[in-house]
Amino acid sequence: MTARVIDGKEVAEDVVATVKQATAELKAKTGTVPGIAVVIVGEDPASQVYVRSKGKKASDCGFHSETFELPAETSEADLLARVEALNADPAIHGILVQLPLPRHIDEDKVVQAIAPEKDVDGFHYINVGKLGTGAIAEAFVPCTPAGSMVLIRRALGTGDLSGLTAVVVGRSNIVGKPMANLLLAANATVTIAHSRTRDLPALCRTADILVAAVGRPEMIAGDWVKPGACVIDVGINRIDAPEKGEGKTRLVGDVAYAGAAEIAGSITPVPGGVGPMTIAMLMANTLASACRAAGVEPPSY
Ligand code: GUN
């Protein structure tokens, strides 16, 4: 069997098209323009690229977008004051503080200072708690697992995962744990695996839905995949590619793609799978925040 390739770029474009349309309708009906503020501290080039692409996508969607590029030596107090000002700004519906922050700033203190109703990253304890208790419609769900869930729903043609087993490899707060909660809320039978799990290959072979979010290049071998499974590869790892020439690199996922694609029913590629969904869901969360503020039902995806 050769797996169907799940085209994350195409799905992300579809989500963004829905966001654009709903944004225009929200503006016309209520005068509300969704507003997003992205804050970055320091000059990490990869983070700067992410932040600029978020700002550009927000403008594409018709949002009001503000980017704050603060110097690396910004104090924690100044950053907290910036967050407080954005919390109080009615033109801003979503606040994202790009992580990681410089070491002299307490990351958790900053994340928990963001008003939960503007926490479009879904990292605030209030949103984590809502997701964990099944109050998903009023929560903000972290963008990468939210996007992975859209891909799973579309690949399987249903949002009801009753009777299916799901294994999530990785237990991070940003991906693994929220992913497991989303799958559970969709009625899957969920196991979270991690570095201390015994016989990971055998466990993965039980999974109708296998989500890999460990950040280890091609760790999940093809023969760990259950025939016909839906494989979602969240990993984005840059590795050396001497075959492309000296000093060249390439991106690979956490799944050894070629082998897995021979066995899976559907699989996300890297790049072009989960990656493009993350920014798309950030736009969807920001629109949802603006819709909630205006008392309008947000779209579903
Ligand atoms: N850094 C890497 N991924 C993310 C993300 O999803 N949100 C934030 N705020 N920072 C990140």
Side-chain angles (χ1 to χ4, degrees), residues 54 96-100 121 123 174 278:
K54 284 167 188 169
L96 182 142
V97 178
Q98 184 69 24
L99 304 178
D121 257 331
F123 296 165
I174 293 183
T278 299

Side-chain angles (χ1 to χ4, degrees), residues 32-37 63-66 90-95 120 286 289-290:
T32 299
V33 178
I36 182 168
F63 293 178
H64 166 69
S65 163
E66 294 182 34
I92 295 298
H93 302 94
I95 301 169
V120 285
T286 305
S289 180

Side-chain angles (χ1 to χ4, degrees), residues 178-265:
M179 188 75 237
N181 271 324
L182 283 170
L183 290 161
L184 187 61
N187 300 322
T189 301
V190 184
T191 306
I192 304 181
H194 49 77
S195 55
R196 307 294 173 91
T197 298
R198 189 179 302 160
D199 202 353
L200 184 59
L203 179 64
C204 289
R205 275 183 215 113
T206 67
D208 300 306
I209 300 162
L210 179 60
V211 181
V214 275
R216 292 183 54 187
E218 300 179 322
M219 186 188 100
I220 309 244
D223 66 357
W224 298 16
V225 173
K226 179 176 177 176
C230 173
V231 177
I232 303 293
D233 191 349
V234 180
I236 301 176
N237 310 289
R238 189 165 286 287
I239 61 166
D240 290 336
E243 73 280 3
K244 286 168 65 181
E246 202 187 311
K248 298 281 188 196
T249 61
R250 65 190 172 98
L251 292 179
V252 297
D254 292 345
V255 177
Y257 183 85
E262 284 176 20
I263 298 170

Side-chain angles (χ1 to χ4, degrees), residues 54-69:
K54 284 167 188 169
K56 188 174 171 306
K57 190 66 80 182
S59 301
D60 285 352
C61 287
F63 293 178
H64 166 69
S65 163
E66 294 182 34
T67 302
F68 299 89
E69 299 196 24

Side-chain angles (χ1 to χ4, degrees), residues 93-117:
H93 302 94
I95 301 169
L96 182 142
V97 178
Q98 184 69 24
L99 304 178
L101 289 168
R103 282 222 305 274
H104 66 278
I105 297 177
D106 181 340
E107 215 161 79
D108 199 44
K109 201 164 162 186
V110 174
V111 167
Q112 302 309 326
I114 297 170
E117 67 277 13

